[in-house]
Amino acid sequence: MSKKKTTAQPPEKLTGIKLTDIPKTASGFKAIQSTVKHISKEAGLAKGIGLLAKMNQKDGFDCPGCAWPDPDEKRAFLAEYCENGAKAIAEEATKNRVSPIFFATHSVKELAKLSDYEIGKKGRITHPVILREGSDNYEEISWQEAFQLIGKELNNLTSPDEAIFYTSGRTSNEAAYLYQLFVRQFGTNNLPDCSNMCHESSGAALSETLGIGKGSVTLDDFNHAELVIVIGQNPGTNHPRMLSALKDTKKHGGKIITINPLPEVGLMEFKDPQNPLKWFSGDKLTDIFLQIKINEDVALLKAIMLLLLEKAKANPATLDFEFIKEKTAGYEAFIEDLKNYNVDDLIAKTGISKELVVEAVDLIAKSNKIIICWAMGLTQHKNAVDNIREIVNLLLLKGSIGKQGAGTCPVRGHSNVQGDRTMGIWEKPPESFLESLEKEFDFKAPRKHGYDVVDAIEAMQNNKAKVFIGMGGNFISATPDTEFTAEALRKCDLTVQISTKLNRSHLIHGKTALILPCLGRSEKDIQKSGEQFVSVENSMGVVHQSHGSLNPLSNKLMSETAIVAHLAEATLQNSEIPWHSFADDYDLIRNKIEATISGFENYNKRVRKPGGFYLPNNAREGDFSSTKTGKANFTLNKLSDIPLEKNQFIMMTIRTHDQFNTTIYGLDDRYRGVLNERRVIFMNEKDMEELGIKKLDKVNLTSHFKGEERLAEKFLAIPYSIPRKCTATYFPEANVLVALQNKADISNTPASKTVVISIKKRK
């Protein structure tokens, strides 16, 4: 067995940790202080305040951060954004520039030695640049030459399937639609995207059970829910505006159950930054906290359902048997399978006391309107699809689907990740969508399924793919098995990154590399027909417009939509699709979306309505006719089974509070009491004692997967409230430990939350 030491990861250097007391409440005045600090430093206070006043407003631009929805009606005048949203827009509007002069004086080798935080702080990219084969410095290139080079490389491939076209969730509906159209006319379905690494498991499970791969609730449902269960999610850091929705649930008499291996401050008590009267006094959110062992969620859900069945014997109203009879399929087989399990054995697996589980069951039993929210804590496991299907089983037992105040709520990450999938960014497109493209654009679309993220990395590694084009994102820092992925990218003849600011993916490149700088969400988009707007879809299926207000930082920037159109023209020289016209007037793109995708009738008219419009959602309406059975489906799901040898632990990767996805805004994790450091591992104090590890001892981490070992060095051990044999580290620092083949069944999502590791104290 060989150990692989990372070179493509952030440098293994410590930055001077400081531990503080863990705060008891989230947001409030400290969040406002942090917001002002970041926006002032990056963009200047006056400019920054002006931008924040436009963010997430009906006449403004959509936050480039998370996909949490905005209120349908009145928006908060003071702050319709969160702390991390403010950090995101601060970096987009930064005064720092990465110009051709910068690249001439900073080599790729030199920049690669920096941390992801240091790289990101260099600023916005101002000109298209190329790294020619054999060179160590990017240099300026004209847009025309860049497009011609890409078109030539693509057309020289033996097969269109030798090209990979990746998409991040920030891409607008218009750019995403044009991108997939270009790729499919080129002849491939190689359209991996960031969904493959986050909510692919949710989509697979929900499509099978409810007939739609999206959540079923609206923001208003939180006002009517009797119970909200938040499982495998940390909204205080990852989706802070969700805390306002949970506060509304409590305001209307609802209850909240939180299920997570770590006690997350934001879910315990919340100070509303939109209400100055609440800046210094918080609202209690969680009523019952179930501190579960990593990936024992199916065991807990089965235990809950068995206890509900027992209650239903005495009180049939505990379950909604009328809903089960009329709306569901597979109930009898589900019950027969469930009865094979023992409640006490299941609860023992979870690490939670039976008294707390029973308390939660009592609350669930008397609630008829239940929303269940989840995120990466459920979707990034080998059995991730089972996790989500078991959530659906519980909701079906309670009849909590298709009614006000109840349903599924997968909380999406990047701001248009759901919209990109709606637009056709998917390696496994449905036949009906391909047929609609063919009818509208008169070409033969490919049917062979393309590469998802994991498949794409393997294809590059095996020389089956030679060109990689990334529409946004930071591929190397987002993906697992960092060294393997880096080696795969370096085998490509050409890598192209369409980006706003510098990131590590610009430094891990193919033989030739291009960076094409694009407009940010906050910037004006002027095309031949005039000023344009784009549209996005939020986490709850609302499509609305986004309209930048800043002048572009450089006259060398292009919109993503225009970049795609130029790529298509340079590559598909015999295409009859009017790419140039689409780039000139985005209304023409929206007309084509309307013609080919259901739910977008009168698109240009409805998207101009303040606040936008809802897409159809069958599960929200209680219509499950689109499933294979024509009903909502109960499923049979297995328990997690991850055997640990002596001195082995399960590790999950998490974010800090100064982070959104792979973007590092700062070095603090304020809500966990860790400042100025990212190379840490959170451990149970008793586990540390058994290993002879003391607080802030330096340790090396080794992951174990099917006889392979991967090494990550120099982490600081921190005692924390986490179940025995469970640990947590930050990504991307720990991504090197995640084996590419450690992935979810069915969805193929990297299992970054279930990594078996051993921990060794450094001498």
Side-chain angles (χ1 to χ4, degrees):
M1 293 181 286
S2 62
K3 294 183 179 179
K4 301 177 182 178
K5 184 177 180 181
T6 177
T7 57
Q9 280 281 307
E12 296 166 344
K13 63 182 181 182
L14 302 176
T15 47
I17 192 168
K18 180 182 178 182
L19 299 182
T20 66
D21 292 336
I22 298 171
K24 295 181 179 179
T25 59
S27 293
F29 188 66
K30 284 191 176 181
I32 294 171
Q33 282 182 310
S34 177
T35 295
V36 172
K37 171 187 165 185
H38 279 269
I39 202 78
S40 299
K41 183 178 179 181
E42 295 283 355
L45 186 60
K47 178 181 177 183
I49 295 299
L51 273 176
L52 292 176
K54 284 286 188 180
M55 189 157 66
N56 294 326
Q57 299 298 334
K58 292 181 179 180
D59 62 346
F61 59 90
D62 194 58
C63 174
C66 81
W68 189 253
D70 308 309
D72 287 338
E73 302 302 329
K74 186 178 179 181
R75 305 281 168 89
F77 170 75
L78 182 61
E80 196 57 72
Y81 52 85
C82 70
E83 181 182 344
N84 267 359
K87 292 173 185 175
I89 205 62
E91 291 217 344
E92 186 171 290
T94 182
K95 295 173 283 187
N96 298 327
R97 301 287 184 264
V98 178
S99 65
I101 295 175
F102 173 91
F103 282 120
T105 55
H106 295 81
S107 69
V108 169
K109 184 178 181 180
E110 172 192 343
L111 292 170
K113 295 177 182 178
L114 302 177
S115 68
D116 283 42
Y117 168 68
E118 292 168 324
I119 293 170
K121 289 301 181 184
K122 295 302 179 186
R124 290 284 301 276
I125 302 165
T126 62
H127 293 65
V129 291
I130 184 171
L131 183 69
R132 302 188 188 275
E133 187 169 0
S135 176
D136 198 31
N137 289 81
Y138 279 98
E139 59 187 77
E140 186 176 357
I141 186 174
S142 70
W143 279 105
Q144 182 179 8
E145 185 183 352
F147 291 132
Q148 289 175 346
L149 189 155
I150 297 168
K152 181 179 179 181
E153 286 286 342
L154 290 174
N155 286 320
N156 283 342
L157 296 174
T158 303
S159 162
D161 291 330
E162 291 182 338
I164 292 167
F165 301 87
Y166 175 74
T167 317
S168 87
R170 193 207 64 206
T171 305
S172 69
N173 284 346
E174 292 74 14
Y177 184 82
L178 218 58
Y179 195 46
Q180 64 80 29
L181 180 62
F182 157 53
V183 171
R184 292 196 164 103
Q185 189 172 39
F186 178 63
T188 185
N189 284 312
N190 285 348
L191 282 159
D193 73 323
C194 57
S195 287
N196 298 150
M197 294 181 284
C198 55
H199 273 289
E200 197 70 59
S201 302
S202 299
L206 294 173
S207 296
E208 175 189 357
T209 56
L210 302 177
I212 185 170
K214 304 177 182 182
S216 65
V217 301
T218 68
L219 191 58
D220 182 61
D221 282 319
F222 284 84
N223 291 310
H224 304 277
E226 297 168 347
L227 175 64
V228 177
I229 300 174
V230 182
I231 179 169
Q233 188 197 358
N234 176 19
T237 284
N238 300 328
H239 311 89
R241 287 198 299 155
M242 179 180 170
L243 299 180
S244 295
L246 296 177
K247 182 201 70 174
D248 289 341
T249 297
K250 298 299 294 281
K251 177 182 175 182
H252 292 94
K255 302 292 184 180
I256 296 172
I257 296 173
T258 295
I259 304 168
N260 205 52
L262 294 173
E264 303 292 6
V265 173
L267 283 167
M268 301 307 160
E269 192 168 310
F270 168 61
K271 296 177 182 176
D272 189 352
Q274 295 181 355
N275 182 357
L277 298 178
K278 290 290 186 178
W279 284 358
F280 302 98
S281 63
D283 294 302
K284 184 177 181 293
L285 292 183
T286 293
D287 296 283
I288 301 173
F289 172 47
L290 304 180
Q291 189 168 20
I292 194 169
K293 289 183 177 180
I294 294 173
N295 199 22
E296 294 296 352
D297 306 279
V298 170
L300 175 61
L301 291 166
K302 286 186 185 297
I304 288 171
M305 291 186 287
L306 280 169
L307 291 169
L308 287 172
L309 286 174
E310 283 298 311
K311 281 182 170 291
K313 291 178 182 178
N315 179 14
T318 300
L319 304 179
D320 193 336
F321 288 106
E322 182 179 352
F323 177 90
I324 292 169
K325 181 180 179 180
E326 293 183 0
K327 294 283 190 176
T328 73
Y331 174 73
E332 291 78 10
F334 163 73
I335 293 298
E336 184 179 347
D337 178 72
L338 187 60
K339 289 180 177 178
N340 290 326
Y341 296 92
N342 176 274
V343 168
D344 290 334
D345 291 342
L346 291 169
I347 293 176
K349 282 180 66 66
T350 69
I352 306 167
S353 72
K354 186 172 183 179
E355 290 76 15
L356 266 180
V357 175
V358 169
E359 187 180 345
V361 169
D362 290 342
L363 197 50
I364 294 169
K366 63 184 182 183
S367 303
N368 294 313
K369 296 181 177 181
I370 302 172
I371 295 173
I372 302 184
C373 309
W374 70 90
M376 306 299 95
L378 291 194
T379 65
Q380 293 181 330
H381 297 284
K382 187 176 188 301
N383 61 323
V385 175
D386 280 14
N387 286 338
I388 315 311
R389 292 192 305 204
E390 204 75 327
I391 282 176
V392 174
N393 284 340
L394 174 56
L395 291 172
L396 295 182
L397 283 179
K398 294 294 299 179
S400 288
I401 294 279
K403 65 172 65 168
Q404 188 181 52
T408 56
C409 185
V411 183
R412 305 282 176 170
H414 228 146
S415 60
N416 199 38
V417 63
Q418 187 161 294
D420 286 354
R421 181 58 57 89
T422 302
M423 292 297 106
I425 300 292
W426 196 16
E427 74 280 357
K428 302 181 185 72
E431 177 66 22
S432 58
F433 177 69
L434 297 179
E435 288 177 351
S436 69
L437 290 181
E438 291 178 337
K439 181 179 179 181
E440 186 67 25
F441 295 102
D442 193 25
F443 76 96
K444 185 65 178 175
R447 262 47 180 193
K448 178 184 173 183
H449 285 178
Y451 297 135
D452 62 18
V453 165
V454 170
D455 295 334
I457 294 169
E458 289 182 322
M460 290 186 287
Q461 180 69 247
N462 295 326
N463 296 310
K464 293 181 179 179
K466 299 176 181 177
V467 174
F468 175 93
I469 299 177
M471 176 75 79
N474 182 359
F475 191 77
I476 189 64
S477 292
T479 48
D481 216 342
T482 310
E483 277 306 299
F484 186 91
T485 302
E487 186 180 317
L489 286 164
R490 287 168 178 147
K491 288 185 176 182
C492 289
D493 292 329
L494 175 67
T495 52
V496 181
Q497 305 289 346
I498 301 168
S499 309
T500 55
K501 62 191 190 72
L502 197 65
N503 65 52
R504 190 168 295 279
S505 290
H506 304 136
L507 314 175
I508 307 297
H509 52 79
K511 295 167 187 173
T512 299
L514 285 164
I515 305 175
L516 306 182
C518 62
L519 295 172
R521 283 270 178 89
S522 59
E523 292 171 316
K524 293 178 182 177
D525 185 351
I526 310 293
Q527 303 296 336
K528 265 192 178 179
S529 66
E531 192 167 341
Q532 307 295 310
F533 69 86
V534 295
S535 58
V536 295
E537 177 186 348
N538 68 32
S539 202
M540 294 178 181
V542 178
V543 177
H544 58 102
Q545 65 174 281
S546 177
H547 196 290
S549 57
L550 287 181
N551 290 323
L553 65 90
S554 165
N555 61 9
K556 293 292 185 179
L557 302 185
M558 275 195 187
S559 72
E560 288 181 321
T561 307
I563 290 172
V564 174
H566 282 282
L567 278 175
E569 286 185 329
T571 306
L572 308 172
Q573 296 176 359
N574 296 319
S575 174
E576 296 183 1
I577 294 175
W579 303 103
H580 201 73
S581 298
F582 288 150
D584 291 342
D585 185 352
Y586 298 174
D587 275 357
L588 301 180
I589 304 173
R590 288 186 282 271
N591 287 339
K592 295 301 184 182
I593 293 171
E594 176 182 336
T596 53
I597 302 178
S598 176
F600 285 86
E601 295 78 15
N602 298 316
Y603 191 5
N604 271 308
K605 180 179 180 180
R606 288 197 294 160
V607 80
R608 283 176 163 84
K609 178 183 176 183
F613 61 93
Y614 280 90
L615 290 175
N617 189 303
N618 62 278
R620 187 176 294 158
E621 303 301 321
D623 173 16
F624 309 110
S625 58
S626 56
T627 70
K628 288 183 178 180
T629 63
K631 293 188 174 184
N633 294 308
F634 282 95
T635 53
L636 310 185
N637 303 299
K638 297 179 181 179
L639 301 177
S640 172
D641 183 19
I642 305 170
L644 296 177
E645 297 178 7
K646 185 179 178 180
N647 292 333
Q648 286 188 342
F649 303 83
I650 294 179
M651 182 197 81
M652 62 178 180
T653 61
I654 59 176
R655 300 174 187 168
T656 73
H657 190 65
D658 264 354
Q659 175 179 1
F660 183 76
N661 291 345
T662 58
T663 303
I664 315 298
Y665 302 124
L667 298 177
D668 294 346
D669 196 354
R670 192 169 76 240
Y671 293 164
R672 297 192 183 104
V674 179
L675 306 183
N676 200 47
E677 187 56 75
R678 295 184 53 83
R679 297 190 73 81
V680 302
I681 178 167
F682 297 102
M683 298 180 65
N684 183 283
E685 191 168 7
K686 292 182 179 178
D687 289 334
M688 292 178 66
E689 290 175 3
E690 286 189 0
L691 292 179
I693 296 172
K694 297 179 181 178
K695 182 168 70 173
L696 298 184
D697 274 352
K698 297 182 182 68
V699 297
N700 291 341
L701 311 179
T702 301
S703 67
H704 307 270
F705 182 78
K706 294 186 176 180
E708 299 176 351
E709 293 184 352
R710 290 162 175 79
L711 176 66
E713 295 188 283
K714 201 181 291 186
F715 283 71
L716 297 173
I718 297 177
Y720 207 78
S721 177
I722 189 169
R724 293 293 302 269
K725 308 300 284 185
C726 297
T727 67
T729 56
Y730 300 136
F731 73 85
E733 285 79 6
N735 284 358
V736 68
L737 298 170
V738 186
L740 189 70
Q741 291 306 312
N742 183 11
K743 57 187 180 180
D745 297 330
I746 302 175
S747 70
N748 226 29
T749 296
S752 301
K753 297 287 190 289
T754 324
V755 182
V756 176
I757 66 167
S758 56
I759 305 167
K760 186 176 180 180
K761 184 176 177 179
R762 289 170 64 95
K763 295 180 181 179

